[in-house]
Amino acid sequence: MSRHIYRCPLRWSDMDAFGHVNNVVFLRYLEEARIDFMFRLAPGDGSPSFAGGSVVARHEIDYKLPLVHRHEPVTIESWVTKIGAASLTIAYEVKDTDADGSERVYVRASTVVVPYDLEAARPRRISAEEKSFLQEYLDDGGAGDRAGRQGTRGAVAA
């Protein structure tokens, strides 16, 4: 199983009154990592995979540690925990790795994504090409359960 790594820059505007990354901003960080994963890593040159659109059906976020502003980007590691006929679940860890190899995890999260046909204005099934790509990142051994059971729920455009 592979994991996708995205390096997300921190912005001063991301901070709350206490100098930490605002809890809502983490959703944007996850979105940036998800878009990088689904669109830049989509299989094949000119492939229509993932290009037709998608919607977020659910987010779950566990905030573990405060993340303060600094000039270095933070790492967002993501992988797939479930592939259904018409949805997939992506898990994430927003973290840093220290020089000694130890990790500081700021957020564990997961997102249920539904592929969407923008022209027909309805959900669609995951294509065989998309499924093949996603299976390279599939970890169905419970890693997604680390994201927890509480979070922010709703349907928003991805």
Side-chain angles (χ1 to χ4, degrees), residues 34-122:
R34 185 173 60 254
I35 288 170
D36 188 68
F37 172 64
M38 293 179 70
F39 294 99
R40 292 189 192 180
L41 296 179
D45 290 328
S47 170
S49 292
F50 303 118
S54 61
V55 294
V56 170
R58 177 185 179 102
H59 285 299
E60 291 188 22
I61 301 175
D62 282 341
Y63 301 95
K64 299 296 186 182
L65 293 171
L67 177 58
V68 297
H69 186 269
R70 77 286 179 85
H71 296 289
E72 300 80 29
V74 69
T75 298
I76 303 175
E77 191 171 304
S78 55
W79 62 96
V80 176
T81 59
K82 183 178 179 186
I83 304 170
S87 69
L88 63 126
T89 303
I90 301 173
Y92 318 82
E93 284 186 339
V94 179
K95 64 185 181 178
D96 284 322
T97 303
D98 293 328
D100 65 1
S102 63
E103 292 184 342
R104 273 188 315 258
V105 176
Y106 303 104
V107 163
R108 287 193 175 111
S110 66
T111 302
V112 176
V113 178
V114 177
Y116 198 78
D117 182 332
L118 295 172
E119 287 184 20
R122 63 180 172 82

Coordinates of all heavy atoms in Angstrom, one line a residue, residues 34-122:
R34 N -6.4 16.3 -0.8 CA -7.3 15.4 -1.5 C -7.3 15.8 -3.0 O -7.2 14.9 -3.8 CB -8.7 15.5 -0.9 CG -9.7 14.6 -1.5 CD -11.1 14.6 -0.8 NE -11.7 15.9 -0.8 CZ -11.8 16.8 0.2 NH1 -11.3 16.5 1.4 NH2 -12.4 18.0 0.1
I35 N -7.4 17.0 -3.3 CA -7.3 17.4 -4.7 C -6.0 17.0 -5.4 O -6.0 16.5 -6.5 CB -7.6 19.0 -4.8 CG1 -9.1 19.2 -4.6 CG2 -7.2 19.5 -6.2 CD1 -9.4 20.7 -4.4
D36 N -4.9 17.3 -4.6 CA -3.6 16.9 -5.1 C -3.6 15.4 -5.4 O -3.1 14.9 -6.4 CB -2.5 17.3 -4.1 CG -1.1 17.0 -4.7 OD1 -0.7 17.8 -5.6 OD2 -0.4 16.1 -4.2
F37 N -4.1 14.6 -4.5 CA -4.1 13.1 -4.6 C -5.0 12.7 -5.8 O -4.6 12.0 -6.7 CB -4.7 12.5 -3.3 CG -4.9 11.0 -3.4 CD1 -3.9 10.1 -3.6 CD2 -6.2 10.6 -3.2 CE1 -4.2 8.8 -3.7 CE2 -6.5 9.2 -3.3 CZ -5.5 8.3 -3.5
M38 N -6.3 13.2 -5.8 CA -7.2 12.7 -6.8 C -7.0 13.2 -8.2 O -7.3 12.5 -9.2 CB -8.7 13.0 -6.4 CG -9.0 12.2 -5.1 SD -10.7 12.6 -4.5 CE -11.7 11.8 -5.8
F39 N -6.5 14.4 -8.4 CA -6.4 15.0 -9.7 C -5.0 15.0 -10.3 O -4.8 14.7 -11.4 CB -7.0 16.4 -9.7 CG -8.4 16.4 -9.5 CD1 -8.9 16.7 -8.2 CD2 -9.3 16.2 -10.5 CE1 -10.3 16.7 -7.9 CE2 -10.7 16.2 -10.2 CZ -11.2 16.4 -8.9
R40 N -4.0 15.3 -9.5 CA -2.6 15.3 -10.0 C -2.1 13.9 -10.2 O -1.2 13.6 -11.0 CB -1.7 16.1 -9.1 CG -2.1 17.5 -9.2 CD -1.0 18.3 -8.5 NE -1.5 19.7 -8.3 CZ -0.9 20.6 -7.7 NH1 0.3 20.4 -7.2 NH2 -1.4 21.8 -7.6
L41 N -2.6 12.9 -9.3 CA -2.1 11.6 -9.4 C -3.0 10.7 -10.2 O -2.8 9.5 -10.2 CB -1.9 11.0 -8.0 CG -0.8 11.7 -7.2 CD1 -0.7 11.1 -5.8 CD2 0.5 11.7 -7.8
A42 N -4.1 11.2 -10.8 CA -5.0 10.4 -11.5 C -4.3 9.7 -12.7 O -3.4 10.2 -13.3 CB -6.1 11.3 -12.1
P43 N -4.7 8.4 -12.9 CA -3.9 7.6 -13.9 C -4.0 8.1 -15.3 O -5.1 8.7 -15.7 CB -4.6 6.3 -13.8 CG -6.0 6.5 -13.2 CD -5.8 7.8 -12.4
G44 N -2.9 8.0 -16.0 CA -2.9 8.2 -17.5 C -2.9 9.7 -17.9 O -3.6 10.5 -17.3
D45 N -2.2 10.0 -19.0 CA -2.3 11.3 -19.5 C -3.6 11.5 -20.2 O -4.0 10.7 -21.0 CB -1.1 11.5 -20.6 CG 0.2 11.5 -19.9 OD1 0.3 12.0 -18.7 OD2 1.2 11.1 -20.5
G46 N -4.2 12.6 -19.9 CA -5.5 12.9 -20.5 C -6.7 12.0 -20.0 O -7.7 12.1 -20.6
S47 N -6.4 11.3 -19.0 CA -7.5 10.4 -18.5 C -8.6 11.2 -17.9 O -8.4 12.2 -17.2 CB -6.9 9.5 -17.4 OG -8.0 8.9 -16.7
P48 N -9.9 10.8 -18.1 CA -11.0 11.6 -17.5 C -11.2 11.2 -16.1 O -12.1 11.8 -15.4 CB -12.2 11.1 -18.4 CG -11.8 9.7 -18.8 CD -10.3 9.7 -19.0
S49 N -10.4 10.3 -15.5 CA -10.7 9.9 -14.1 C -10.7 11.1 -13.2 O -9.8 11.9 -13.2 CB -9.6 8.9 -13.7 OG -9.7 7.7 -14.4
F50 N -11.6 11.1 -12.3 CA -11.8 12.1 -11.3 C -12.0 13.5 -11.8 O -12.2 14.4 -11.0 CB -10.6 12.1 -10.3 CG -10.4 10.8 -9.7 CD1 -9.2 10.1 -9.8 CD2 -11.3 10.2 -8.8 CE1 -8.9 8.9 -9.2 CE2 -11.1 9.0 -8.2 CZ -9.9 8.3 -8.4
A51 N -12.0 13.7 -13.1 CA -12.2 15.0 -13.7 C -13.6 15.5 -13.7 O -13.9 16.7 -13.8 CB -11.6 15.1 -15.1
G52 N -14.6 14.6 -13.6 CA -16.0 14.9 -13.8 C -16.6 15.6 -12.5 O -17.7 16.1 -12.6
G53 N -15.8 15.6 -11.5 CA -16.3 16.2 -10.2 C -16.5 15.2 -9.1 O -16.5 14.0 -9.3
S54 N -16.6 15.7 -7.9 CA -16.9 14.9 -6.7 C -17.5 15.8 -5.7 O -17.4 17.0 -5.7 CB -15.6 14.2 -6.2 OG -14.7 15.1 -5.8
V55 N -18.2 15.2 -4.7 CA -18.7 15.9 -3.6 C -18.3 15.2 -2.3 O -18.0 14.0 -2.3 CB -20.3 16.0 -3.6 CG1 -20.7 16.9 -4.8 CG2 -20.9 14.7 -3.7
V56 N -18.2 15.9 -1.3 CA -17.9 15.4 0.0 C -19.2 15.0 0.7 O -20.0 15.9 0.9 CB -17.0 16.4 0.9 CG1 -16.9 15.9 2.3 CG2 -15.7 16.6 0.2
A57 N -19.3 13.8 1.2 CA -20.5 13.4 1.9 C -20.3 13.4 3.4 O -21.3 13.5 4.1 CB -20.9 11.9 1.4
R58 N -19.0 13.3 3.8 CA -18.8 13.3 5.3 C -17.3 13.6 5.6 O -16.5 13.2 4.8 CB -19.1 11.9 5.8 CG -18.9 11.7 7.2 CD -19.2 10.2 7.6 NE -18.9 9.9 9.0 CZ -19.9 9.8 9.9 NH1 -21.1 9.9 9.6 NH2 -19.6 9.6 11.1
H59 N -17.1 14.3 6.7 CA -15.8 14.6 7.2 C -15.8 14.1 8.7 O -16.8 14.3 9.4 CB -15.4 16.0 7.3 CG -15.1 16.7 6.0 ND1 -14.0 16.3 5.2 CD2 -15.6 17.7 5.3 CE1 -14.0 17.0 4.2 NE2 -14.9 17.9 4.2
E60 N -14.7 13.5 9.1 CA -14.5 13.2 10.5 C -13.1 13.7 10.9 O -12.2 13.4 10.2 CB -14.6 11.7 10.8 CG -15.9 11.1 10.7 CD -16.0 9.7 11.2 OE1 -15.1 9.3 12.0 OE2 -16.9 9.0 10.8
I61 N -13.0 14.5 11.9 CA -11.8 15.1 12.3 C -11.5 15.0 13.8 O -12.4 15.3 14.6 CB -11.7 16.6 11.9 CG1 -11.9 16.8 10.4 CG2 -10.4 17.2 12.4 CD1 -12.0 18.3 10.0
D62 N -10.4 14.5 14.2 CA -9.9 14.5 15.6 C -8.7 15.4 15.6 O -7.7 15.2 15.0 CB -9.5 13.1 16.0 CG -10.7 12.2 16.3 OD1 -11.8 12.7 16.5 OD2 -10.5 10.9 16.3
Y63 N -8.9 16.4 16.5 CA -7.8 17.4 16.7 C -6.9 16.9 17.8 O -7.4 16.7 18.9 CB -8.4 18.8 17.0 CG -9.2 19.3 15.9 CD1 -10.6 19.1 15.9 CD2 -8.7 19.9 14.8 CE1 -11.4 19.6 14.9 CE2 -9.5 20.4 13.8 CZ -10.9 20.2 13.8 OH -11.6 20.7 12.8
K64 N -5.7 16.6 17.6 CA -4.8 16.0 18.6 C -3.9 17.0 19.3 O -3.7 16.9 20.5 CB -3.9 14.9 17.9 CG -4.7 13.8 17.3 CD -5.5 13.0 18.4 CE -6.2 11.8 17.8 NZ -7.0 11.2 18.9
L65 N -3.2 17.9 18.5 CA -2.3 18.9 19.0 C -2.5 20.2 18.3 O -2.9 20.2 17.1 CB -0.9 18.4 18.8 CG -0.3 17.2 19.5 CD1 1.1 16.8 19.0 CD2 -0.2 17.5 21.0
P66 N -2.3 21.3 19.0 CA -2.3 22.6 18.3 C -1.2 22.7 17.3 O 0.0 22.3 17.6 CB -2.2 23.6 19.4 CG -1.7 22.9 20.6 CD -2.0 21.5 20.4
L67 N -1.4 23.3 16.2 CA -0.4 23.6 15.1 C -0.2 25.1 15.1 O -1.2 25.8 14.8 CB -0.9 23.0 13.8 CG 0.0 23.3 12.6 CD1 1.4 22.7 12.8 CD2 -0.6 22.7 11.3
V68 N 1.0 25.6 15.4 CA 1.3 27.0 15.4 C 2.0 27.4 14.1 O 2.5 26.5 13.4 CB 2.2 27.4 16.6 CG1 1.4 27.1 17.9 CG2 3.5 26.7 16.6
H69 N 1.9 28.7 13.8 CA 2.5 29.1 12.5 C 4.0 29.0 12.5 O 4.7 29.1 13.6 CB 2.2 30.6 12.3 CG 2.7 31.1 10.9 ND1 3.9 31.6 10.7 CD2 2.1 31.0 9.7 CE1 4.1 31.9 9.5 NE2 3.0 31.5 8.8
R70 N 4.6 28.6 11.4 CA 6.0 28.6 11.1 C 6.2 28.6 9.6 O 5.2 28.6 8.9 CB 6.6 27.3 11.8 CG 6.4 26.0 11.0 CD 5.0 25.4 11.2 NE 4.9 24.2 10.4 CZ 5.1 23.0 10.9 NH1 5.6 22.9 12.2 NH2 5.0 21.9 10.2
H71 N 7.4 28.8 9.2 CA 7.6 28.9 7.7 C 7.7 27.6 7.0 O 7.5 27.6 5.8 CB 8.9 29.7 7.5 CG 8.8 31.1 8.0 ND1 8.0 32.1 7.4 CD2 9.3 31.7 9.1 CE1 8.1 33.2 8.1 NE2 8.9 33.0 9.1
E72 N 7.9 26.5 7.7 CA 8.0 25.2 7.0 C 6.6 24.7 6.8 O 5.7 24.8 7.7 CB 8.8 24.2 7.9 CG 10.2 24.6 8.1 CD 10.3 25.6 9.3 OE1 9.5 25.6 10.2 OE2 11.3 26.4 9.2
P73 N 6.4 24.0 5.7 CA 5.0 23.4 5.5 C 4.8 22.2 6.4 O 5.8 21.6 7.0 CB 5.1 22.9 4.0 CG 6.5 23.0 3.6 CD 7.2 23.8 4.5
V74 N 3.6 21.8 6.6 CA 3.2 20.7 7.4 C 2.9 19.5 6.4 O 2.5 19.8 5.3 CB 2.0 21.0 8.3 CG1 0.7 21.2 7.5 CG2 1.8 19.9 9.3
T75 N 3.2 18.3 6.8 CA 2.9 17.1 6.0 C 1.5 16.6 6.2 O 1.1 16.5 7.3 CB 4.0 16.0 6.3 OG1 5.3 16.5 6.0 CG2 3.7 14.8 5.5
I76 N 0.9 16.3 5.1 CA -0.4 15.6 5.1 C -0.3 14.3 4.4 O 0.0 14.3 3.2 CB -1.5 16.5 4.5 CG1 -1.6 17.8 5.2 CG2 -2.9 15.7 4.6 CD1 -2.6 18.8 4.6
E77 N -0.4 13.2 5.1 CA -0.3 11.9 4.6 C -1.7 11.4 4.4 O -2.5 11.5 5.3 CB 0.5 11.0 5.5 CG 0.9 9.7 5.0 CD 1.8 9.0 5.9 OE1 2.9 9.6 6.3 OE2 1.5 7.8 6.3
S78 N -2.0 10.8 3.2 CA -3.3 10.3 3.0 C -3.3 9.0 2.3 O -2.3 8.6 1.6 CB -4.1 11.3 2.1 OG -3.5 11.7 0.9
W79 N -4.4 8.2 2.5 CA -4.5 6.9 1.9 C -6.0 6.6 1.8 O -6.8 7.3 2.4 CB -3.7 5.9 2.7 CG -4.2 5.7 4.2 CD1 -5.1 4.8 4.6 CD2 -3.8 6.5 5.3 NE1 -5.3 5.0 6.0 CE2 -4.5 6.0 6.4 CE3 -3.0 7.6 5.4 CZ2 -4.4 6.6 7.7 CZ3 -2.9 8.2 6.7 CH2 -3.5 7.7 7.8
V80 N -6.3 5.5 1.2 CA -7.7 5.1 1.0 C -8.0 4.0 2.0 O -7.2 3.0 2.1 CB -7.9 4.6 -0.5 CG1 -9.3 4.1 -0.7 CG2 -7.6 5.7 -1.5
T81 N -9.2 4.1 2.6 CA -9.5 3.0 3.6 C -10.7 2.2 3.1 O -11.0 1.1 3.6 CB -9.9 3.6 5.0 OG1 -10.9 4.5 4.9 CG2 -8.6 4.2 5.6
K82 N -11.5 2.7 2.1 CA -12.6 2.0 1.6 C -12.9 2.5 0.2 O -12.9 3.7 -0.1 CB -13.9 2.3 2.5 CG -15.1 1.5 2.1 CD -16.3 1.8 3.0 CE -17.5 1.0 2.6 NZ -18.7 1.4 3.4
I83 N -13.2 1.5 -0.7 CA -13.7 1.7 -2.0 C -15.0 1.0 -2.2 O -15.1 -0.2 -2.1 CB -12.6 1.2 -3.1 CG1 -11.3 1.8 -2.8 CG2 -13.1 1.5 -4.5 CD1 -10.2 1.2 -3.6
G84 N -16.0 1.8 -2.4 CA -17.4 1.3 -2.7 C -17.7 1.4 -4.2 O -16.8 1.8 -5.0
A85 N -18.9 1.1 -4.5 CA -19.3 1.2 -5.9 C -19.4 2.6 -6.4 O -19.1 3.0 -7.5 CB -20.6 0.5 -6.2
A86 N -19.8 3.5 -5.4 CA -20.0 4.9 -5.8 C -19.5 5.9 -4.7 O -20.0 7.0 -4.6 CB -21.5 5.2 -6.1
S87 N -18.5 5.4 -3.9 CA -17.9 6.3 -2.9 C -16.6 5.7 -2.5 O -16.3 4.5 -2.7 CB -18.8 6.5 -1.7 OG -18.9 5.3 -1.0
L88 N -15.8 6.5 -1.9 CA -14.5 6.1 -1.4 C -14.2 6.9 -0.1 O -14.8 8.0 0.1 CB -13.3 6.3 -2.4 CG -13.1 7.8 -2.8 CD1 -11.6 8.1 -2.5 CD2 -13.4 7.9 -4.2
T89 N -13.4 6.3 0.8 CA -13.1 7.0 2.0 C -11.6 7.2 2.0 O -10.8 6.3 1.8 CB -13.5 6.2 3.2 OG1 -14.9 6.0 3.2 CG2 -13.1 6.9 4.5
I90 N -11.2 8.5 2.2 CA -9.8 8.8 2.3 C -9.5 9.2 3.8 O -10.2 9.9 4.4 CB -9.4 10.0 1.4 CG1 -9.8 9.7 0.0 CG2 -8.0 10.5 1.6 CD1 -9.6 10.9 -1.0
A91 N -8.4 8.6 4.3 CA -7.9 8.9 5.7 C -6.7 9.8 5.6 O -6.0 9.8 4.6 CB -7.6 7.7 6.4
Y92 N -6.5 10.6 6.6 CA -5.4 11.6 6.6 C -4.7 11.7 8.0 O -5.4 11.5 9.0 CB -5.8 13.0 6.3 CG -6.8 13.2 5.3 CD1 -8.2 13.1 5.5 CD2 -6.5 13.7 4.0 CE1 -9.1 13.3 4.6 CE2 -7.4 14.0 3.0 CZ -8.7 13.8 3.3 OH -9.7 14.0 2.4
E93 N -3.5 12.0 8.0 CA -2.8 12.5 9.2 C -2.1 13.8 8.8 O -1.3 13.8 7.8 CB -1.8 11.5 9.7 CG -2.4 10.3 10.4 CD -1.4 9.4 11.1 OE1 -0.2 9.4 10.7 OE2 -1.8 8.7 12.0
V94 N -2.3 14.8 9.6 CA -1.6 16.1 9.4 C -0.5 16.0 10.5 O -0.8 15.9 11.7 CB -2.5 17.3 9.6 CG1 -1.7 18.6 9.5 CG2 -3.6 17.3 8.6
K95 N 0.8 16.0 10.1 CA 1.8 15.7 11.0 C 3.2 16.3 10.6 O 3.4 16.8 9.5 CB 2.0 14.2 11.2 CG 2.4 13.5 9.9 CD 2.4 12.0 10.1 CE 2.8 11.2 8.9 NZ 2.8 9.8 9.2
D96 N 4.1 16.2 11.6 CA 5.5 16.5 11.3 C 6.3 15.3 11.8 O 5.9 14.5 12.7 CB 6.0 17.7 12.2 CG 5.5 19.0 11.6 OD1 5.5 19.2 10.4 OD2 5.2 19.9 12.5
T97 N 7.5 15.1 11.2 CA 8.4 14.0 11.7 C 9.7 14.7 12.1 O 10.3 15.5 11.4 CB 8.7 13.0 10.5 OG1 7.5 12.5 10.1 CG2 9.6 11.9 11.0
D98 N 10.0 14.5 13.4 CA 11.2 15.1 14.0 C 12.5 14.5 13.4 O 12.4 13.4 12.8 CB 11.2 15.0 15.5 CG 10.1 15.8 16.1 OD1 9.7 16.9 15.6 OD2 9.5 15.4 17.2
A99 N 13.6 15.1 13.7 CA 14.9 14.6 13.2 C 15.2 13.2 13.7 O 15.8 12.4 13.1 CB 16.0 15.5 13.6
D100 N 14.7 12.9 14.9 CA 14.9 11.5 15.5 C 13.9 10.5 15.0 O 13.9 9.3 15.4 CB 14.9 11.6 17.0 CG 13.5 12.0 17.6 OD1 12.5 12.2 16.8 OD2 13.4 12.1 18.8
G101 N 13.0 10.9 14.1 CA 12.1 9.9 13.5 C 10.7 9.9 14.2 O 9.8 9.2 13.7
S102 N 10.6 10.6 15.3 CA 9.3 10.6 16.0 C 8.3 11.5 15.3 O 8.7 12.5 14.7 CB 9.5 11.0 17.5 OG 10.0 12.3 17.6
E103 N 7.1 11.2 15.5 CA 6.0 11.9 14.8 C 5.2 12.7 15.8 O 4.9 12.3 16.9 CB 5.1 11.0 14.0 CG 5.8 10.4 12.8 CD 4.8 9.5 12.0 OE1 3.7 9.2 12.5 OE2 5.1 9.2 10.8
R104 N 4.8 13.9 15.3 CA 3.8 14.7 16.0 C 2.6 14.8 15.1 O 2.7 15.4 14.0 CB 4.3 16.2 16.3 CG 5.1 16.3 17.5 CD 5.4 17.8 17.7 NE 5.9 18.4 16.5 CZ 7.1 18.7 16.2 NH1 8.1 18.5 17.1 NH2 7.5 19.3 15.1
V105 N 1.5 14.2 15.6 CA 0.3 14.2 14.8 C -0.7 15.3 15.3 O -1.0 15.3 16.5 CB -0.4 12.8 14.8 CG1 -1.8 12.9 14.1 CG2 0.5 11.8 14.2
Y106 N -1.0 16.3 14.4 CA -1.9 17.4 14.8 C -3.4 17.0 14.6 O -4.2 17.4 15.4 CB -1.5 18.6 14.0 CG -0.1 19.0 14.2 CD1 0.8 18.8 13.2 CD2 0.4 19.6 15.4 CE1 2.2 19.1 13.3 CE2 1.7 20.0 15.5 CZ 2.6 19.7 14.5 OH 3.9 20.1 14.7
V107 N -3.6 16.3 13.5 CA -5.0 15.9 13.2 C -5.0 14.6 12.5 O -4.1 14.2 11.8 CB -5.6 17.0 12.2 CG1 -6.8 16.5 11.4 CG2 -5.9 18.3 12.8
R108 N -6.0 13.8 12.9 CA -6.4 12.6 12.2 C -7.8 12.8 11.6 O -8.7 13.3 12.4 CB -6.3 11.3 13.1 CG -4.9 10.9 13.4 CD -4.8 9.6 14.0 NE -3.4 9.2 14.2 CZ -2.9 9.1 15.4 NH1 -3.5 9.3 16.5 NH2 -1.6 8.8 15.5
A109 N -8.0 12.4 10.4 CA -9.3 12.7 9.8 C -9.6 11.7 8.7 O -8.8 10.9 8.2 CB -9.3 14.1 9.1
S110 N -10.9 11.7 8.2 CA -11.3 10.9 7.1 C -12.4 11.7 6.4 O -13.1 12.5 6.9 CB -11.8 9.5 7.5 OG -12.9 9.6 8.3
T111 N -12.5 11.4 5.1 CA -13.5 12.0 4.2 C -14.1 11.0 3.3 O -13.4 10.2 2.7 CB -12.8 13.1 3.3 OG1 -12.2 14.1 4.1 CG2 -13.9 13.8 2.4
V112 N -15.4 11.0 3.3 CA -16.2 10.1 2.3 C -16.4 11.0 1.1 O -17.0 12.1 1.2 CB -17.5 9.6 2.9 CG1 -18.2 8.8 1.8 CG2 -17.2 8.7 4.1
V113 N -15.9 10.5 -0.1 CA -16.0 11.3 -1.3 C -16.9 10.5 -2.3 O -16.8 9.3 -2.4 CB -14.6 11.5 -2.0 CG1 -14.7 12.2 -3.3 CG2 -13.7 12.2 -1.0
V114 N -17.8 11.2 -3.0 CA -18.7 10.6 -3.9 C -18.4 11.2 -5.3 O -18.5 12.4 -5.5 CB -20.2 10.8 -3.6 CG1 -21.1 10.3 -4.6 CG2 -20.5 10.3 -2.2
P115 N -18.0 10.3 -6.3 CA -17.8 10.9 -7.6 C -19.1 11.4 -8.1 O -20.2 10.9 -7.9 CB -17.4 9.6 -8.4 CG -16.8 8.7 -7.4 CD -17.6 8.9 -6.2
Y116 N -19.0 12.5 -8.9 CA -20.2 13.2 -9.3 C -20.1 13.6 -10.8 O -19.1 14.1 -11.2 CB -20.4 14.5 -8.5 CG -21.7 15.0 -8.4 CD1 -22.7 14.5 -7.7 CD2 -22.0 16.1 -9.2 CE1 -24.0 15.0 -7.6 CE2 -23.3 16.7 -9.2 CZ -24.3 16.1 -8.4 OH -25.6 16.7 -8.4
D117 N -21.2 13.3 -11.5 CA -21.3 13.7 -12.9 C -22.0 15.1 -13.0 O -23.1 15.2 -12.7 CB -22.2 12.7 -13.6 CG -22.4 12.9 -15.1 OD1 -22.2 14.1 -15.5 OD2 -22.6 12.0 -15.9
L118 N -21.1 16.1 -13.2 CA -21.6 17.4 -13.2 C -22.6 17.7 -14.3 O -23.6 18.5 -14.1 CB -20.4 18.4 -13.4 CG -19.4 18.4 -12.2 CD1 -18.2 19.2 -12.6 CD2 -20.0 18.9 -10.9
E119 N -22.5 17.1 -15.5 CA -23.4 17.3 -16.6 C -24.8 16.8 -16.2 O -25.8 17.4 -16.5 CB -22.9 16.7 -17.9 CG -21.8 17.5 -18.5 CD -21.3 17.0 -19.8 OE1 -22.1 16.2 -20.5 OE2 -20.2 17.3 -20.2
A120 N -24.8 15.6 -15.7 CA -26.1 14.9 -15.3 C -26.6 15.4 -13.9 O -27.7 15.1 -13.6 CB -25.9 13.4 -15.3
A121 N -25.8 16.1 -13.2 CA -26.1 16.6 -11.8 C -26.5 15.4 -10.9 O -27.6 15.5 -10.2 CB -27.2 17.6 -11.9
R122 N -25.7 14.3 -10.9 CA -26.0 13.2 -10.0 C -24.7 12.4 -9.7 O -23.8 12.5 -10.4 CB -27.0 12.3 -10.6 CG -26.6 11.6 -11.9 CD -27.7 10.7 -12.5 NE -27.3 10.2 -13.8 CZ -26.5 9.2 -14.1 NH1 -26.0 8.5 -13.1 NH2 -26.3 8.9 -15.3

